[in-house]
Structure formats: C-alpha cells, structure tokens
Amino acid sequence: MAAAEVLNHTSVVVPQPKDVFISQIRRQSPPHQSGKRSKRYEEKQTPVSHHPQGSGSDEQRSGGIREAASAPSRQWSWTSLTDTSVSSHPPIFTKDGSHFFSIAGSTIKIHSASSGKVVSMLPRSQDEGHTDTITSATLSAHNSFQLLTASLDGTIKVWDFLEGMLLRTIVLDQPIHHICTHEKIKDYIFVAAAKTKKVKGSADHSKDAQDENCIVLRVSLNPQESGSLTRTQKLSDVLAVGKVKRTAGLALSASGESLIAISGRRSYVAQTSALKSGFIKFTAPEPLTCLAVHPFEDYFATGDVKGVVRLWYCLNPNLVKVVGVEKKSQTSAFHWHAHAVSSVAFSMNGAYLLSGGEEAVLVIWQLHTGKREFVPRVGSPIKSVVVSPPKASEEEYLLELADATHAFVSSKTLKLSRVFARIKLAPSVPNAFPSSSSSPLAFHGLSETLVLPSSHPSSLQTFSPSALALVAELEVAPSNRVSRRDEKMLEPSRVERVVVSSSGEWMATIDCREGDEYFRGEIYLKIWYWDKKNAFWILNTRIDRPHGLRKITSMSFSPSPSNIQLVTIGDDGNVKSWRIRSTKDKKRQEEISWVTRSSFGYKSDTPRHASWSPDGSLLAVVFGSSVVLYDPYTNVPRHVFVCHESQRPREVHFIGMSGRFLAAVGGVDLVVWNVMSRSVLWHVKNDRPYDTLLPHPHRDAFVTIHSSHSTPAHAVVTIFRVRSPVRQMEHTLPFALRNVIWYPQSYSPTNSESFSLVGLTHDYSVVLMGDDVDPQDKRPIPFKTLQKGQSMPRKSLFEEMFGVPVIPNESLQHSRDRTAANPGPVLPWRSSETATFFDAPSHLIPPIHTFFESLVDGFLTLRVADEERREELDAQEEAGSKLSDHSGPVFAKSADIATESVLDTLIPVFRGIAESSDYSNGSKKASIPPNTAPVLTKSTPRHASRLDRPPQLDSPTPNQSVVPVGHVKVGKKRSRPALG
C-alpha cells in the first residue's frame, strides 16, 4: 500500500500512550523465568512483531507501549576496513629489494615491491604480536632474513619473516622509540627507551616531549643460558650510553664506530668503542626532525623544523668530551623547504641526498655541487623517503605519503614509476576536517563501493569493501594543493555532504569554502552522472549558492527512478526541489541538466531534515517542533504532526516498506507515529541525546545511535521495533561515529531481518557493523610463507595480485623457466622507450658510444618481404615450368616475357651495334658473331631460348643501350641491409 494511500486510510484512533522512560521500560519488562510459569506467560502475549501491518485492534491489544517478551538479543559485531594512521618510521626493504615492510599500528605488513600487494603480515596471531604501537623496526645484522621490531609496550621481538615465526621476545619494560643495528656489531642492538617524568599533582605519565626523557641503551641479543629454551628473554647485558630528550632519530655511522642520536636542538655522538664515556653534545640552530647516515663516509645529515637540511662533520674519534660543554660542529646547510623536513636519505652511491616534507615535493641534492632537482606534486605531504637496494635495472626511491600511499620514483627519469594507493582517510593537511563539519558518506549500488572523504577535503574517494581496495578518487572542487603560507593555513574547499540516488545513476555533492576579509564564501551544489562505460562520475550540473550563502543541512533523492527529484534544505528557511530538464542543442542532440522545480516553506520555521517515503509519494520535513507531510508533486501539505513530546526534533524517517510508521529523534526524545491513525504510537526518553536514527529498509524496525553515558567516546547502538518501545538489542562500540549509513550485504537475502551498517569513526576509520559481520575480517590478508634468497620464482602481476593457481600450468611454468634461463637477444629500441630514456638527467645518461649502435639499429630496421607477393611469384614460376612441357602455343603475359615482334625489332639493332667500328674499337671484349643470334620459333618456349643467348657484356660503354632479352621475372625491390 502506498504511503499516500495509508495516509488517506480511515481507521480507529487508538488512545495516546503515556511517556515512558527507558529505565522504566527495563523494570516493566518481565524477568526471564524457567518452568511452566514462563510458558504460560508467553502464551498470553500476542506476537505483534510477526504482524507488522496488523489492524488498529492489534495495536490496542498490545497496549502500544511494551512487548511482554522481547526478541532475543543478537551478538553485534564490528570490524575495521581500514588501517591505522601512517607510521612515522620509514619502510624497510629486504636484502634483495623484492619486498618492503611497513608499520601499521601493532602489525607489520610485507608488500611486494613490484605490485605493492600485501603478501604477508606479522604477527600471524594476536598472541604473538605487540600489545601497543610499533615505533621502530630494522633488519637483523646477524641474519638478513630476521626482522627486529620495537614497540611502546616495552618489548623487542625477533621475527623470521620468511616463515612468519616469532623467534624470541626481549622484555625491556620501557616504551621504546628507536632501535638500530650494524653489521659489524651483530650481537648488540641500540635502543632509545623512554623514561617519563611524573607531573606534579598527577600520578599519570605524560608523553609530551617536554615532560619525557629518553635513555639510550646497548642491549645484548644473546639469550641467557637459563632462558635460552623459552621465547621470552630477560635482559642479560645492558649498558646505558646516556640520557637525552625524546629522540627524533637514532643511527650508527657507516663504519660502525659512532652512535648518533638527535633530540631537540642537539646532536649526540658517542664512540662505540668507549660507550661508557657517554655522548658528546653538538648544538643546532633549530629543533631537528630527522636523521640519515652517509653509506660510506663518516658524516650524517639532519633536517629541522625550518626546512634546513644540514650535513654534520663531527664523527671524529679524537674528540674529547668535556662535561657540561656543548660543542659546535662543522656543517653544510642546504635550504629549499619552506616547512619542516620530514625525512632525509642518501642515495646508494652517496652522491645525492634526498629530502621531503609538507610541500609534497621530493628534492634531490647533488652534494659536491649543491645543485638540486625536484619531483613535484607527488600527491600528498611526504612522511618518509627510502632508497631501494641496488638492482640490475635501476635505483628507485620509495616515498611514503601522509595519505598512506606508497610511490616509487625512478632515479633515471625522476618521475613516478608506480603508485600503490590505499584508502586515504588520514588528513594530509592539518585541520583538514574540523569537528564541526559533517563527514560525507554514501553507498553506490551499481559499483558496490563506498563514497568516502579523501585525505584532501576538496576530494572524494570510492572504496570497495569487498576487495578492500581504493577504486578511484574524485576531485569535487578543483584546488591548487600548495603548502601553507608561513604559519597561516590556506582555507581549502571542503566537501560537506554527498548523497547517491537509489538507481545509482546520480550523485549530489555540497562543497563550500568559508569566506574571510579578503574572500567571499562559496557554496556549490554539484550533480554528477555515473558513466557506466568508464565507471566514473562525470559532472553534469553545477549550481552556485543554491540557498544563498546559508548552509545546507539536508539533501536527499526521491526513491522513484522514473520521476526522480532532489530535495535540499537550507538555513535560509526554504525547501527546494530540483528536477531534470532535457533540451536539444543546435545539432539536435539531447542535453540533460538539473534545474529548480519549486521552493516552499512552513510558517517562519527553519527546516532541519527531510525524508522520503519508500515509494516516493510523501515527503516528510521537520519544521521547528512539527513534522509536515507533503505531496512532492503538488507541494500541498497532507498532514502536520505536532511533536509535543520533543520541542526540537532533528531527524525524521519513514519506517518499513509500506511507510506506515514515522520515527523522529530530537535531543533525548524518540517519538514514533502511526501514519494511518495519525497518532503517537509511543514515546521514550533516553539518558543521552540521540545522534542519529536509521530505518531498516525491509522491516518495521530501526536503530538509534547515541554516545555512552559512562564513556562519551564510545557509541551505543540500540535496535527498536515500531510496535514496542522495548529495546530489542543494545551494544556499546569502542569508538564514536561521525556518520553512519545502511550497507547492503551482497550475501544477505532481501527479506533478511539482520542489520548491516557502515560508519566513519572520529579517527577516520571505516567500520562495518552488523549481525552477520565476522570479526575475523580484520585480518583479510592470508599469511604466505616467503621463500629464501634469490631463488624465489618470479611471479607475474596476476599471481602477485590473485595468488598462484591451485592447478599449476606446467607448460606455462616450463616456458617461464626457459625464458628466465635463456633471456634471448635484446630487442630493438622503441620510439617511446627512446623518448623516456632521453628524459633522464644528463649526468645519469651513460656515454653516447655505449648505446649508439643499438640505438641506430633500432631506427634502421630491415624491410620485411611481403609473404603474399612471394607466394604469388612462386606460383607463377611453377605455372611457367608446366607450360614448358606443353607442345602447343604458349600464351604468356607481357610482364613475364617479351613478345616476338619486340624481339624481331631489337635483334637487328643489337646486330648493327655489334658490327659498328666504334663498338669493335672501344670494347675490350670480342664482338658477338652475327650468326650466333638465336632464331625463335613459335613453338620454342621463351625460357628455353634464354639458355641459347650469348652472355651480356660486363662493362658496356655509355653509347650502348642494354636491353634485357632473357626471361624477366617480376619481383619486389631488393631490401637494403641496415647500417651497422
């Protein structure tokens, strides 16, 4: 039954129930009892929830307030679809450079360097992993197939990443910030552990840099004799090197003779041969942010908060420590960055220094000249820079960006060679998403993707929950993504709202930019069309200031795809509807755009929210303390529900497939109306204000979300049925939600009663919640055992992404092995490869004589003969040989043999030339006797007479004209061999 028909239906008006508090409902609900009494009590009750469209008498019998036996509570589960924020520790490459490690919270992800796919994770089980965030990791100096990780939980774990096994755990009982090793000091590891000072008047430990000190320790990796058989190892040999402020970097010099730590404005240097002597302090002009050590020479580089990259030449073993005296070192400064330097790294040959920061520009410094080159617009601020190990092909630079993207830069072309993007929810610029702004979130049914905010506030991104992959990024408001000017942040355009139509063909967005004394504010309503061919959103219509400069508070599409409308509500007090207009241009081609259909209001109240009935026949709008039902085609009010129970309802939604019920939340009040009887069905008050309400798309049920009373940072989810105010289920989630929508599970049936929601938390994590959610989906990547050494078979891109097939293809594997064993000749250069090669900097291009011949050979290739023409000529020659055995007359083409009339004309000419005196005197060869000329008959084959002809002269004079008299075979022009 349509919602409008339900509104016109006359029925018995049931009496209004009294307001009931949730605490009272708890006391009124019968306790669970065993035995016959419980069964008799259940038999007396009417299962109202089984008849969602019952008559008014059924409602009257149920009392309209409570349900004697509520439905059993389901276990509410949740799982996070995204990773935690980007770690400040740079990625780590394996020895061969085929894989790299990245830190994600308390786990380690192992990526393929060629495809970027996560092929394995550490740990395999939560029991073996760290209990807090991993802060540092490094390869073991004793075994390059072992990984050392340190965490704030005060432990160091040693992993065999080939097998994914935890070898042992070293307990330090102090939060660890940095660790480092060296191949010449294999039995020890250097650790920067925190020693937090207690703040006066507080028993808690502050983790701010000002209230936290660190101590640098040398820890032995050799297990104790008593604990050698167990995985947990207590410290056996610990040496304290010195105390520093909270460290920003810790490293060993190339020779392993010096230990370097940076903290605040100081650099600390200690000799590994005399660690008991402690650190020698060197001062810097500004606080230091990052550290890198030269691969061959004994000096290091740092970056500071003012954007200066500095080289330190203070690793002299002859320096004498003076207590209480800070020394100054000889340094070299390079300055280009306008803001703090996030990371520095040396190239493998030590000739270049790389730096990156908030500007999203990679700077390559040539150390001996001071010249610099740039890789601009990498997409997001650079968090860390790592140089890949040397390979047979080329050296690459791995950039870890602020939006969790890994980008590889070629050292030859200084261009991005490949980019592996993940979901971008961490803000790439400070204050990108203020708490006051709403977070856009929508579900697109055609592509089964989520539309989420991106790391930059002016963009959206589409994410596939099933594949756990980022699909695309849409720049809603084009913006010049430059870094901030001085210390003042540039105000970007922000996407505040997004909604997708039920058909999936249209999407509407609201982006705005706040004005200031120099700039007037902007608000744009943009409507996008889904291009099915290219699977991307295309901008169709842009509407400037749809509600003036006032904020838009609600936006929704009508559910009917045949007569689709868009309704927007603004603080200007108007409700506007938009429709599709179709026109034809000069070429008689149809153009579709969106225009204003109508604008209306109610009294002088400001609208706050609008909702459509399931069939699109009614539109409910919240005005002040009233909910008005409109006919969306005539804009005529059909009924007004005055909400006496709540003075300011904030949201209203139709409940159920028929649209028979209406639920509204405002403050601590929850009100449910029966649209058929036009009366309040029930009303409850909560102890905390409601944040939002979401209806079930197929059942007469809905869910409310509010913050926890005991822990405001946690969200409480409550499920209600429209027949009763008794809560069906209540569950507390360990996070707060910015926005939440309904998420249809692909494997769930259409008439399923289970709930499935997806939400965006306050820390920008995408969380899937519901009855059928498996918590094990937090670990979607299966563990794979890596093979040791260079003998690991090279996988195709398909196998890197989807895994090795269960049934191996022996012929393909044999072909791959044979190709790997015999690489074959080098193919000629292509034009695109040539252009790419010469795009490299001049100092990276090899000498011209080393590739000149191969390059020219690629330009001057041999002409390949036409096989079809060759077959045709061979067929003609075979036909001629068959004709030679025939006794009859021969009919040949003029292109193959000359006619007899032509030969009769040419023979006397040749004979006259041969008998002339000029010919006999000028030629060194003997003249041809006149009687040697062959006499042709009609029965003589043409190719047979060619054998009786005299040979031609080798070097005729210029006065002679040579005319071929033999069998002429028409063929293609001879190919000229290439040079070289």
Side-chain angles (χ1 to χ4, degrees), residues 86-140:
V86 182
S87 173
S88 59
H89 191 275
I92 305 167
F93 277 96
T94 56
K95 191 82 172 182
D96 59 354
S98 61
H99 296 80
F100 65 91
F101 306 90
S102 66
I103 299 176
S106 60
T107 60
I108 296 289
K109 293 188 175 183
I110 307 178
H111 302 257
S112 170
S114 58
S115 64
K117 182 179 180 293
V118 178
V119 297
S120 183
M121 292 182 65
L122 297 174
R124 287 186 292 179
S125 63
Q126 295 294 337
D127 299 335
E128 297 180 346
H130 291 280
T131 58
D132 207 336
T133 304
I134 297 177
T135 55
S136 184
T138 182
L139 291 178
S140 173

Side-chain angles (χ1 to χ4, degrees), residues 69-92:
S70 61
S73 299
R74 304 183 183 95
Q75 185 178 3
W76 190 270
S77 304
W78 66 273
T79 179
S80 178
L81 302 179
T82 57
D83 298 329
T84 56
S85 59
V86 182
S87 173
S88 59
H89 191 275
I92 305 167

Side-chain angles (χ1 to χ4, degrees), residues 180-186 188-190 216-218 239-241 250-261 268-280 298 315-319:
C180 64
T181 59
H182 196 275
E183 58 183 4
K184 294 183 179 180
I185 313 174
K186 297 183 179 180
Y188 295 95
I189 181 175
F190 293 89
V216 179
L217 307 172
R218 188 193 66 177
L239 176 63
V241 181
L250 183 70
L252 287 162
S253 63
S255 61
E257 298 178 354
S258 301
L259 176 64
I260 308 156
Y268 300 84
V269 179
Q271 301 300 319
T272 55
S273 59
L275 292 176
K276 294 183 179 180
S277 301
F279 285 113
I280 302 176
D298 284 340
L315 302 183
N316 187 359
N318 298 324
L319 291 176

Side-chain angles (χ1 to χ4, degrees), residues 934-946:
V935 179
L936 301 179
T937 60
K938 292 182 180 182
S939 61
T940 304
R942 185 73 261 156
H943 73 278
S945 63
R946 178 172 52 88

Side-chain angles (χ1 to χ4, degrees), residues 503-710:
S503 62
E505 296 181 351
W506 298 97
M507 179 179 71
T509 60
I510 297 294
D511 62 277
C512 63
R513 183 178 177 184
E514 298 292 338
D516 53 20
E517 55 181 345
Y518 305 105
F519 178 79
R520 188 180 181 184
E522 296 177 346
I523 298 179
Y524 298 107
L525 168 62
K526 297 178 182 179
I527 304 177
W528 309 75
Y529 178 74
W530 176 253
D531 186 0
K532 297 181 180 179
K533 182 178 180 181
N534 299 318
F536 199 72
W537 293 103
I538 299 176
L539 181 61
N540 179 267
T541 305
R542 191 191 80 173
I543 302 169
D544 299 352
R545 300 184 179 92
H547 288 262
L549 292 177
R550 306 305 295 271
K551 187 177 180 180
I552 296 178
T553 58
S554 178
M555 180 172 57
S556 60
F557 280 101
S558 63
S560 177
S562 58
N563 190 11
I564 188 170
Q565 296 184 38
L566 174 67
V567 170
T568 59
I569 291 178
D571 287 340
D572 59 346
N574 294 323
V575 179
K576 291 188 177 182
S577 62
W578 312 82
R579 65 175 179 86
I580 296 178
R581 180 182 64 179
S582 178
T583 58
K584 291 186 178 181
D585 56 7
K586 297 180 179 180
K587 297 182 180 180
R588 308 299 296 174
Q589 295 181 357
E590 187 178 10
E591 293 183 352
I592 295 178
S593 60
W594 285 74
V595 295
T596 307
R597 180 183 178 273
S598 61
S599 177
F600 57 91
Y602 182 76
K603 298 182 179 179
S604 59
D605 296 334
T606 301
R608 286 189 292 273
H609 186 262
S611 176
W612 294 85
S613 63
D615 59 354
S617 60
L618 288 176
L619 177 66
V621 184
V622 177
F623 285 98
S625 61
S626 304
V627 177
V628 185
L629 299 184
Y630 286 93
D631 185 342
Y633 303 103
T634 61
N635 295 341
V636 175
R638 302 294 301 274
H639 187 72
V640 178
F641 291 98
V642 179
C643 189
H644 300 286
E645 297 78 11
S646 176
Q647 295 299 323
R648 290 185 61 85
R650 192 176 64 176
E651 287 187 19
V652 62
H653 293 275
F654 285 90
I655 310 298
M657 290 291 293
S658 62
R660 182 181 177 185
F661 304 98
L662 201 64
V665 291
V668 297
D669 298 293
L670 169 62
V671 184
V672 178
W673 288 283
N674 188 333
V675 179
M676 179 182 294
S677 61
R678 307 181 185 182
S679 60
V680 177
L681 194 59
W682 51 267
H683 163 233
V684 296
K685 286 183 176 292
N686 194 21
D687 53 355
R688 296 286 296 177
Y690 288 104
D691 295 330
T692 186
L693 182 149
L694 287 175
H696 195 289
H698 310 296
R699 296 295 176 184
D700 292 346
F702 59 92
V703 61
T704 61
I705 299 176
H706 61 87
S707 60
S708 174
H709 180 73
S710 58

Side-chain angles (χ1 to χ4, degrees), residues 252-323:
L252 287 162
S253 63
S255 61
E257 298 178 354
S258 301
L259 176 64
I260 308 156
I262 59 172
S263 174
R265 297 174 182 265
R266 296 178 180 88
S267 296
Y268 300 84
V269 179
Q271 301 300 319
T272 55
S273 59
L275 292 176
K276 294 183 179 180
S277 301
F279 285 113
I280 302 176
K281 302 177 183 179
F282 298 91
T283 59
E286 300 293 339
L288 304 177
T289 57
C290 52
L291 170 67
V293 176
H294 195 277
F296 305 123
E297 302 179 11
D298 284 340
Y299 65 89
F300 60 94
T302 60
D304 62 23
V305 295
K306 293 297 183 179
V308 179
V309 178
R310 198 176 304 275
L311 301 181
W312 299 73
Y313 305 97
C314 57
L315 302 183
N316 187 359
N318 298 324
L319 291 176
V320 179
K321 177 183 177 181
V322 180
V323 179

Side-chain angles (χ1 to χ4, degrees), residues 179-235:
I179 59 174
C180 64
T181 59
H182 196 275
E183 58 183 4
K184 294 183 179 180
I185 313 174
K186 297 183 179 180
D187 296 333
Y188 295 95
I189 181 175
F190 293 89
V191 178
K195 289 192 65 175
T196 307
K197 296 192 302 183
K198 287 188 177 181
V199 181
K200 294 182 179 181
S202 175
D204 297 334
H205 293 279
S206 174
K207 293 188 177 181
D208 295 337
Q210 297 178 355
D211 300 330
E212 186 179 47
N213 289 330
C214 285
I215 181 171
V216 179
L217 307 172
R218 188 193 66 177
V219 179
S220 174
L221 293 177
N222 296 324
Q224 294 179 349
E225 295 181 0
S226 58
S228 59
L229 299 179
T230 61
R231 288 188 175 183
T232 303
Q233 170 187 345
K234 294 185 178 180
L235 297 179

